Amino acid sequence: MVNNLGALYADQGKLAEVEVMYIRALQGNEEALRPKHTSTLLTVNNLGALYADQGKLAEAEAIYIRAL
């Protein structure tokens, strides 16, 4: 649900809100579902893509490595 809200904010160009929602979704997924669950990895991908789109390549790399 939180991940979907992040996607909605992304469509609206509300990038600060997107980051908050994706981080919140990632934390919740890691606690409830574990780090390697497909839903968790989807959120990792979304957050990494957000960082990459913003030119925050170090942050994107770090979040993608976290999923390995």
Side-chain angles (χ1 to χ4, degrees), residues 2-3 18-48 51 59 62-64 66-67:
V2 176
N3 198 36
V18 174
E19 183 178 8
V20 169
M21 290 296 108
Y22 285 162
I23 289 171
R24 190 169 156 195
L26 181 57
Q27 291 169 341
N29 286 345
E30 285 181 330
E31 287 179 23
L33 303 172
R34 301 288 183 212
K36 302 301 181 193
H37 189 277
T38 54
S39 292
T40 304
L41 295 175
L42 173 64
T43 305
V44 166
N45 182 67
N46 291 343
L47 184 56
Y51 287 149
E59 291 90 338
I63 202 74
Y64 286 138
R66 186 173 166 177

